[in-house]
Amino acid sequence: MKMDIVGVEDVHILDPNLLQLPCLSPSPLNSSSYIADELFSHWLSLPETATLVKCLIDEAKSGTPTNLSKSYATVFLSNGTPPLSPRSSPGSPRFSRHRASPPSLRSPLRSVKEPKHELIPQFYFLHGRPPAKELKEQCISMVDHFFSNFIDGLHVDEFKSVTKEVCKLPSFLSPALFRKMDSDCSGVVTRDAFIKYWIDGNMLTMDTASQIYNILKQQDCKHLRQADFKPLLDELLATHPGLQFLRTTSEFQERYAETVIYRIFYYINRSGTGCLTLRELKRGNLIAAMQQLDEEDDINKIIRYFSYEHFYVIYCRFWELDGDHDCYIDKDNLIKYGNHALTYRIVDRIFSQAPRKFTSKVEGKMSYEDFVYFILAEEDKSSEPSLEYWFKCIDLDGNGVITPNEIQFFFEEQLHRMESITQEPVHFNDILCQIIDMIKPEEENCITLQDLKGSKLSGNVFNILFNLNKFMAFETRDPFLIRQEREDPSLTEWDRFAQREYVRLSMEEDVEEVANGSADEPLEPPF
């Protein structure tokens, strides 16, 4: 069989893969070569084949890129017959149209580029995030400025300016920070020691709460204890102008420091373990109060934790109840609190240590720390620590709910006391309905701690059950108390109570001074 093909001498330069042979499985080809020969002969006999081959040769000679699919379509579509499926073609949609080299017989799936893995930047650093280059250079520049005149290092009294200006921390933290950097107790902090602790230790990039937490806590300890705050309070008492009058009375200084620490742990250590975590420190308002101390000379204007007037009220109340002044209070002492405002049943629950385990080592007696927790809970029943304190007292069986039976148990004594002072008694069913209306619990026959925290009237519920004086004041809607609340709504119940009590105690002190003929002498706390 002959073919009239021009340029047949150039056929040898063709790639065999360019021949448009029908796609057959290799199995029949291996079994019978006769079938393959017949098919190839039939393809060569077609008139379109000669035209196609001539076109390909011309394109190869001219050096133009061979567009096989276009040539193939031009030749065969004119015949009206669909072309055979090409074995391989650079123009095939199965291959990248940008591929210039001869098509490969490999699977077209392999030509798909694998997706690039996105690099996720590190977001957790065990020892804190390292400072950025610019921030680090800026800090080092400030450090060089402060240490330029102190080549041998700074002493503790010279270090305060570095604490305030470079570290941006309250000045009374300076001794504690100094001791952290002076690890070998040499008495000086050098430039290199400061950079090692503050910059290389990644303290520079921490938030203020984390910085203070790491400065105060002991090494390898995961929480703060009460003793960790003692150096801070010692420095505050020694340097703050609002506490200067206490510098000659070490006993009063110690009591003030203890009271501040107890108040901090009452409000912030919500777990009640005596171990203050970083999470608790961040959630509280202690850091904001600390930052005020450098800005305000009047310590009494910092009502959160540090007010001397608040300490004065707490300690005077304790001193009044502690008849033998052994620094302990028993049941008979506590029942006198608030002019016998509390019931015997609630006092019994307090001394059963239901709301809080006593720190007192003397059985049946309450220490000063225990009293601080009690008075803060009693005089501000709107705070969450107070609600938790009194909820544990009323929840007799400890099942997490207050039932009508438990409410009745405590109200019975209140009802008896009302009758004894010729007050018109209130029936229990009316009281129960009033409490349910005030709290609006999710379940009508039981009140949970969450129900109490969701109501603004929860404190009045506890007053109804065991504080007769406050219950009567609530029933009569004392206009004096209402006016006080409207004058400054930012003050808490504790703030208003401390304000009233301090005025009362001051007036009593003035009267005693006049009676003793020593009104011109300076006033001192009655400790």
Side-chain angles (χ1 to χ4, degrees):
M1 196 168 25
K2 263 174 137 179
M3 292 181 56
D4 186 14
I5 300 176
V6 180
V8 69
E9 66 276 4
D10 297 318
V11 174
H12 68 278
I13 67 173
L14 293 177
D15 187 344
N17 290 327
L18 298 178
L19 298 177
Q20 303 299 303
L21 297 176
C23 292
L24 297 175
S25 64
S27 56
L29 296 177
N30 294 334
S31 60
S32 177
S33 60
Y34 175 77
I35 296 176
D37 293 336
E38 286 293 317
L39 288 173
F40 184 70
S41 299
H42 172 71
W43 182 80
L44 290 175
S45 65
L46 295 176
E48 292 83 3
T49 303
T51 305
L52 173 62
V53 173
K54 181 178 181 302
C55 180
L56 293 174
I57 293 173
D58 292 338
E59 288 179 355
K61 285 182 175 182
S62 63
T64 59
T66 302
N67 191 338
L68 186 58
S69 60
K70 182 177 178 181
S71 303
Y72 189 76
T74 303
V75 174
F76 283 92
L77 284 178
S78 61
N79 192 29
T81 305
L84 297 174
S85 175
R87 178 173 297 180
S88 61
S89 170
S92 172
R94 295 180 298 167
F95 293 86
S96 171
R97 60 178 60 179
H98 298 290
R99 189 167 182 174
S101 60
S104 172
L105 294 178
R106 294 178 300 173
S107 170
L109 295 177
R110 295 183 182 179
S111 65
V112 179
K113 293 183 178 180
E114 295 183 2
K116 293 182 179 180
H117 296 287
E118 183 180 357
L119 182 62
I120 300 176
Q122 184 177 351
F123 57 88
Y124 173 74
F125 300 87
L126 180 61
H127 302 291
R129 181 182 294 275
K133 182 180 179 181
E134 293 182 359
L135 180 62
K136 183 177 180 179
E137 291 176 352
Q138 182 181 2
C139 184
I140 291 177
S141 176
M142 294 182 66
V143 172
D144 290 340
H145 171 71
F146 278 97
F147 281 86
S148 59
N149 297 327
F150 302 92
I151 301 176
D152 296 331
L154 294 171
H155 293 84
V156 64
D157 56 334
E158 302 164 337
F159 192 72
K160 187 174 294 186
S161 59
V162 177
T163 303
K164 291 183 63 177
E165 301 298 329
V166 179
C167 303
K168 310 297 182 184
L169 293 174
S171 60
F172 56 89
L173 278 168
S174 184
L177 179 59
F178 184 90
R179 284 190 290 270
K180 283 286 184 177
M181 296 183 181
D182 183 22
S183 56
D184 55 356
C185 300
S186 63
V188 294
V189 169
T190 63
R191 172 190 177 278
D192 293 341
F194 181 91
I195 291 177
K196 179 181 179 181
Y197 179 81
W198 191 254
I199 300 178
D200 297 342
N202 301 331
M203 289 284 287
L204 176 61
T205 55
M206 295 182 184
D207 57 87
T208 305
S210 299
Q211 290 172 346
I212 294 177
Y213 177 81
N214 282 283
I215 291 170
L216 293 182
K217 76 179 183 69
Q218 299 298 315
Q219 190 175 3
D220 300 328
C221 191
K222 296 182 179 180
H223 51 257
L224 293 174
R225 297 187 180 92
Q226 291 185 3
D228 296 330
F229 287 87
K230 191 64 170 60
L232 185 149
L233 268 300
D234 290 341
E235 179 66 14
L236 182 68
L237 284 162
T239 59
H240 198 280
L243 297 170
Q244 186 175 2
F245 66 98
L246 282 180
R247 292 175 188 171
T248 58
T249 55
S250 58
E251 180 184 353
F252 302 158
Q253 286 184 332
E254 185 177 350
R255 286 299 185 187
Y256 170 81
E258 289 176 354
T259 306
V260 170
I261 293 172
Y262 298 155
R263 292 182 67 187
I264 289 172
F265 274 76
Y266 171 81
Y267 284 107
I268 298 183
N269 183 215
R270 302 303 304 282
S271 61
T273 59
C275 300
L276 191 65
T277 64
L278 176 59
R279 179 183 177 85
E280 291 174 326
L281 184 63
K282 288 183 176 182
R283 294 179 64 182
N285 55 2
L286 176 61
I287 303 302
M290 284 183 172
Q291 292 171 333
Q292 282 184 277
L293 289 170
D294 272 341
E295 303 169 1
E296 182 57 64
D297 290 343
D298 187 355
I299 196 74
N300 294 316
K301 289 185 179 180
I302 308 173
I303 57 179
R304 299 291 169 260
Y305 314 109
F306 297 99
S307 170
Y308 176 80
E309 291 181 356
H310 289 195
F311 152 70
Y312 186 86
V313 168
I314 294 173
Y315 196 84
C316 284
R317 276 296 185 109
F318 179 79
W319 187 262
E320 289 172 354
L321 296 176
D322 182 19
D324 56 4
H325 303 311
D326 62 348
C327 294
Y328 291 104
I329 290 177
D330 57 21
K331 288 183 182 180
D332 294 335
N333 299 139
L334 191 62
I335 202 67
K336 300 174 186 177
Y337 181 85
N339 195 19
H340 297 268
L342 303 175
T343 63
Y344 283 94
R345 290 182 179 180
I346 198 66
V347 171
D348 287 341
R349 286 291 289 169
I350 293 171
F351 275 85
S352 70
Q353 304 181 39
R356 179 179 181 272
K357 186 173 177 59
F358 285 173
T359 59
S360 169
K361 308 241 184 242
V362 181
E363 186 177 356
K365 291 198 174 185
M366 173 187 286
S367 68
Y368 177 62
E369 179 180 350
D370 303 322
F371 178 79
V372 171
Y373 274 71
F374 160 77
I375 192 173
L376 292 175
E378 168 57 24
E379 299 303 339
D380 186 4
K381 295 188 178 75
S382 63
S383 67
E384 289 196 5
S386 175
L387 294 177
E388 293 169 2
Y389 186 96
W390 296 118
F391 182 87
K392 293 175 183 177
C393 285
I394 305 300
D395 182 19
L396 295 173
D397 54 7
N399 64 347
V401 295
I402 296 177
T403 62
N405 290 337
E406 291 167 332
I407 293 174
Q408 186 175 14
F409 172 79
F410 285 96
F411 185 72
E412 282 177 353
E413 188 176 351
Q414 282 284 71
L415 183 60
H416 176 71
R417 298 177 74 194
M418 292 172 65
E419 293 173 346
S420 64
I421 59 175
T422 66
Q423 286 284 338
E424 183 180 354
V426 183
H427 297 293
F428 172 72
N429 289 336
D430 295 334
I431 286 294
L432 182 60
C433 290
Q434 183 181 7
I435 291 175
I436 296 299
D437 289 342
M438 292 165 65
I439 302 301
K440 295 180 174 58
E442 292 186 4
E443 297 183 21
E444 188 172 346
N445 292 326
C446 62
I447 298 174
T448 65
L449 179 60
Q450 199 62 34
D451 293 330
L452 292 171
K453 289 182 178 181
S455 173
K456 294 182 179 180
L457 300 174
S458 300
N460 294 315
V461 171
F462 293 123
N463 290 332
I464 290 172
L465 298 181
F466 55 75
N467 191 311
L468 184 59
N469 296 346
K470 292 184 179 180
F471 175 38
M472 300 305 298
F474 172 70
E475 287 293 306
T476 58
R477 301 298 192 277
D478 188 341
F480 175 73
L481 297 178
I482 294 175
R483 186 174 68 252
Q484 268 195 330
E485 293 176 4
R486 290 176 178 174
E487 285 176 355
D488 194 347
S490 64
L491 295 179
T492 65
E493 291 181 14
W494 164 256
D495 298 331
R496 287 189 284 269
F497 164 78
Q499 197 175 61
R500 293 193 305 269
E501 277 296 292
Y502 187 78
V503 171
R504 179 186 71 82
L505 292 168
S506 298
M507 292 177 64
E508 290 180 358
E509 183 86 3
D510 291 343
V511 171
E512 290 180 5
E513 294 291 342
V514 172
N516 295 332
S518 56
D520 296 332
E521 295 180 6
L523 301 180
E524 293 183 0
F527 309 136

